[in-house]
């Protein structure tokens, strides 16, 4: 029997609110972007043509008249180009501006003239034209969808709910942007220090002309140039040994024991790379923050069109899926987005991220929110059914890239309504290069019913245990090799900013390696013992709300506290491709069966020897010993 959508009280449905019916929804979906305009094709065309053009273009040699020094104009062009590639996927309007700036620089370098003779330059122009056509098409689609949504909504317009008016977006993006741009500024300052130090010393040094007497590579593959000048032999590291053949003349500057090639005066590549990465990431977050804040402000500007719809929260990805009002079975989603709760008691600045914990609970949902077995049974029964459809009122004009809000009840037992605001852009629920939506996930992740799972399980007196298996240990060993190699490469260099990567990445690697190699879950009479990288946690049966497998991890939800998570626990994608059922997925299914069927739970308590032992601390000691060994060997 079809489960009826959770109704919305009539007083929360504004007068004149039109139902978004299936015929109108189909017209809206039909207006979605064509397959040829998918940003992936544009990105592939742009990247391939750029690589071809860079490979085909001659590289100017390093000379005394035109040294290979810091090129901030070229770096700025690279920042714009990389941002344009990112914006092609996320921000069509900004991508058009970035593409125009890139083409302007291309024209200044004579690219349009070269396109008549060089196929690579012509290929880039064709890729740029194809990309621009796709971007214009996507913007036109958004306007068409906006017109169709306004037509379906009719003339009725309502003010945004009070809670949504205090909802703010963009602060997190702005904070990250400030941090990353500060990193880029620090990199620029350090690079400029290198430049200034060279120029200051070179100004008082002796300028000589020397002859290249030998060229070879050291053990690290770095080119070493030997130059004889003024009766002395000088050695220089060079990144472009092909520019300095033996017996050629080069200019050098000498100040006592210090000497430098005029053609390659200094090496600030590492700092320039930091400027590039920091600038691209910082500007990307800044643009996202401005876009989110602008769309949020536009939503609060005045009365909005409203549509009566059905909504459902996706179980695996947390998206909000919107369905037509006359689709009570939720067979055909119209659009989707991520959303967070908005509360009337927020301060004036609000919180663009809503509930910071991401669990969607009010502050009052604390220890009293322990879920009874009947609630767990309802959640876990059958094949892990989706969340119920809920009747909702959608505020705002839905189209690709829009911002919306909606009002709905959480479930039939909740008398209050909640207000949620989108925190990602609206996207149509149509199949593209990869089919979207719950049906695709069901095919990729077939799940058995509880009866099928319990058919192969028999009650036992002793504890049940699930541990890391072959694929999980293979992932752990692979990450362990990455960890050891990273320590070696980092310690092989002198103390520099690159050591920060070791400090940031090593804790995550140690946690991931320890978890993948030795994770363990033991079920006994009273609950679960969950062994991660650093400790063994006890989770009683009566506080467990859910057990899920996603993103190659296992997540045990608890009513009182934050979930207990293990990640990674294998490589589900590869296991499926090899025709095997993911071990972590089978573990979760059996744990769900024990949660649902108490008669299958073990009768005894697990002794300490079967509760598991975390290996994070020993792995830290092993990493320290490896680091010491590397330092002694170097």
């Amino acid at each position: 029997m079809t489960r009826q959508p959770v109704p919305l009280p009539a007083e929360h449905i504004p007068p004149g609110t039109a139902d978004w019916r299936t015929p109108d929804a189909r017209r809206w979906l039909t207006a979605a972007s064509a397959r040829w305009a998918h940003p992936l094709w544009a990105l592939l065309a742009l990247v391939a043509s750029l690589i071809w053009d860079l490979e085909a273009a001659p590289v100017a040699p390093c000379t005394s008249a035109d040294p290979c020094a810091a090129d901030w104009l070229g770096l700025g062009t690279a920042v714009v180009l990389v941002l344009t590639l990112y914006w092609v996927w996320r921000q069509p309007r900004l991508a058009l501006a970035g593409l125009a700036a890139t083409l302007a620089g291309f024209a200044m370098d004579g690219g349009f003239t070269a396109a008549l003779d060089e196929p690579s330059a012509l290929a880039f122009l064709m890729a740029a034209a194809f990309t621009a056509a796709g971007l214009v098409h996507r913007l036109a689609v958004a306007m068409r969808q906006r017109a169709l949504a306004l037509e379906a909504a009719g003339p009725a317009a309502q003010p945004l709910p009070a809670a949504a008016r205090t909802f703010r977006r963009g602060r997190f993006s702005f904070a990250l942007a400030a941090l990353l741009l500060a990193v880029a500024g620090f990199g620029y300052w350090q690079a400029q220090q290198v430049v200034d130090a060279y120029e200051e010393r070179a100004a008082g040094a002796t300028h000589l002309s020397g002859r290249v007497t030998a060229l070879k590579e050291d053990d690290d593959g770095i080119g070493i140039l030997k130059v004889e000048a003024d009766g002395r032999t000088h050695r220089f590291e060079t990144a472009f040994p092909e520019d300095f053949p033996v017996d050629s003349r080069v200019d050098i500057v000498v100040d006592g024991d210090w000497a430098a090639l005029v053609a390659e005066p200094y090496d600030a590549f590492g700092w320039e790379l930091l400027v590039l990465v920091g600038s691209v990431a910082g500007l990307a977050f800044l643009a996202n923050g401005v876009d989110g804040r602008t769309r949020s402000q536009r939503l609060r500007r005045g009365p909005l069109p409203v549509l009566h719809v059905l909504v459902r929260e996706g179980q695996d990805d947390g998206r909000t899926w919107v369905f037509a009002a006359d689709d009570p079975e939720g067979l055909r989603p119209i659009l989707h987005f991520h959303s967070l709760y908005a509360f009337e008691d927020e301060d004036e600045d609000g919180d663009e991220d809503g509930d910071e914990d991401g669990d969607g609970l009010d502050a009052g949902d604390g220890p009293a929110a322990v879920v009874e077995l009947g609630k767990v049974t309802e959640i876990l029964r059958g094949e892990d059914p989706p969340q119920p459809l809920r009747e909702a009122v959608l505020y705002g004009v839905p189209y690709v890239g829009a911002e919306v809000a909606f009002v709905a009840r959480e479930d039939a037992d909740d008398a209050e309504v909640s207000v949620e605001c989108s925190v990602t852009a609206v996207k149509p629920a149509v199949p593209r290069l990869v089919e979207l939506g719950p049906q695709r996930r069901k095919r990729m992740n077939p799940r058995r019913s509880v009866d099928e799972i319990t058919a192969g399980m028999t009650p036992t007196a002793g504890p049940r245990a699930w541990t890391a298996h072959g694929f999980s240990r293979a992932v752990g060993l692979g990450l362990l090799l990455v960890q050891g190699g990273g320590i070696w490469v980092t310690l092989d260099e002198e103390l520099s900013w690159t050591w920060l990567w070791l400090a940031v990445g090593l804790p995550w690697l140690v946690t991931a390696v320890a978890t993948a190699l030795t994770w363990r879950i033991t079920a006994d009479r009273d609950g679960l013992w969950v062994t991660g990288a650093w400790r063994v946690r006890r989770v009683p049966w009566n506080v467990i709300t859910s057990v899920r497998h996603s993103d190659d991890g296992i997540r045990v939800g608890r009513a009182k506290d934050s979930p207990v998570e293990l990640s990674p626990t294998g490589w589900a994608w590869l296991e499926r491709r090899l025709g095997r059922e993911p071990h972590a997925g089978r573990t979760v299914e059996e744990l769900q069966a024990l949660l649902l069927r108490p008669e299958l739970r073990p009768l005894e308590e697990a002794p300490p020897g079967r509760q598991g032992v975390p290996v994070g601390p020993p792995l830290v000691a092993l990493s320290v010993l490896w680091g010491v060994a590397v330092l002694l060997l170097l």
Side-chain angles (χ1 to χ4, degrees), residues 374-554:
K375 183 77 170 179
V376 176
T377 302
E378 182 182 353
I379 295 173
L380 298 178
R381 186 176 301 280
E383 298 180 354
D384 196 9
Q387 297 294 320
L389 279 170
R390 297 178 288 156
E391 201 177 3
V393 173
L394 192 69
Y395 288 80
V397 186
Y399 59 88
V400 177
E403 191 96 356
V404 294
F406 69 91
V407 174
R409 291 169 65 193
E410 285 301 297
D411 53 51
D413 298 328
D414 192 351
E416 299 294 329
V417 300
S418 60
V419 178
E420 296 187 47
C421 296
S422 61
V423 292
T424 59
V426 166
K427 293 182 180 180
V430 295
R432 300 197 185 186
L433 298 183
V434 178
E435 187 179 355
L436 301 175
Q439 297 302 320
R440 170 69 172 175
R441 288 191 294 274
K442 285 182 181 179
R443 285 195 292 272
M444 292 299 295
N445 302 286
R447 297 190 179 183
R448 302 175 298 161
S449 66
V450 174
D451 292 335
E452 291 179 274
I453 299 169
T454 56
M457 301 176 63
T458 55
T460 60
R464 293 178 181 266
W466 298 264
T467 61
H469 62 305
F471 279 94
S472 181
R473 293 194 177 103
V475 170
L477 289 174
L479 292 175
L480 185 62
L481 291 177
V482 172
Q483 175 185 324
I487 293 175
W488 181 288
V489 171
T490 304
L491 297 182
D492 189 30
E493 301 179 359
E494 295 182 358
L495 182 63
S496 67
W497 66 270
T498 57
W499 284 43
L500 292 175
W501 295 112
L502 184 64
V504 172
L506 190 58
W508 178 86
L509 274 173
V510 170
T511 300
V513 169
T515 302
L517 288 176
T518 61
W519 67 266
R520 181 186 181 95
I521 298 178
T522 303
D524 65 8
R525 178 188 60 198
D526 300 320
L528 301 179
W529 296 96
V530 183
T531 304
W534 305 103
R535 57 175 174 160
V536 180
R537 280 176 284 193
R538 180 61 159 168
V539 188
W541 291 115
N542 61 351
V543 303
I544 299 177
T545 60
S546 63
V547 185
R548 300 189 184 279
H549 173 234
S550 62
D551 299 328
D552 292 318
I554 295 175

Side-chain angles (χ1 to χ4, degrees), residues 35-53:
R35 283 179 174 270
W36 68 267
H38 194 285
L40 178 62
W41 304 129
L43 286 176
L44 290 176
L46 279 177
V47 171
S49 62
L50 280 170
I51 293 175
W52 185 14
D53 193 43

Side-chain angles (χ1 to χ4, degrees), residues 32-157:
S33 300
R35 283 179 174 270
W36 68 267
H38 194 285
L40 178 62
W41 304 129
L43 286 176
L44 290 176
L46 279 177
V47 171
S49 62
L50 280 170
I51 293 175
W52 185 14
D53 193 43
L54 291 174
E55 288 291 331
V59 180
C62 300
T63 63
S64 299
D66 187 16
C68 294
D71 181 13
W72 298 117
L73 179 60
L75 189 142
T77 303
V79 168
V80 173
L81 183 57
V82 176
L83 279 173
T84 300
L85 295 176
Y86 168 72
W87 286 333
V88 164
W89 192 276
R90 292 289 304 272
Q91 305 279 2
R93 286 187 173 82
L94 291 178
L96 281 174
L99 195 61
T102 301
L103 290 175
F106 186 72
M108 292 175 61
D109 288 340
F112 287 97
T113 304
L116 300 175
D117 301 321
E118 299 178 9
S120 60
L122 180 60
F124 173 71
L125 287 178
M126 294 176 63
F130 174 73
T131 302
L135 294 171
V136 172
H137 172 75
R138 288 161 60 188
L139 292 174
V141 162
M143 294 300 99
R144 173 63 176 160
Q145 288 181 329
R146 186 176 189 277
L148 290 172
L150 283 172
E151 182 181 340

Side-chain angles (χ1 to χ4, degrees), residues 207-275:
H207 290 250
L208 301 174
S209 177
R211 182 177 64 88
V212 178
T213 59
L215 179 63
K216 63 179 183 179
E217 290 187 356
D218 61 10
D219 296 337
D220 296 326
I222 299 175
I224 303 297
L225 202 66
K226 288 187 177 181
V227 178
E228 186 176 328
D230 197 24
R232 295 178 59 187
T233 299
H234 302 273
R235 293 165 57 89
F236 303 99
E237 292 185 358
T238 174
F240 305 100
E242 64 276 7
D243 293 341
F244 309 102
V246 176
D247 290 332
S248 62
R249 305 292 299 184
V250 296
D251 295 324
I252 63 174
V253 287
V254 180
D255 183 14
D257 293 333
W258 175 85
L261 282 171
V262 175
E264 286 188 45
Y266 48 79
D267 180 14
F269 176 76
W271 296 117
E272 290 176 305
L273 183 61
L274 183 64
V275 173

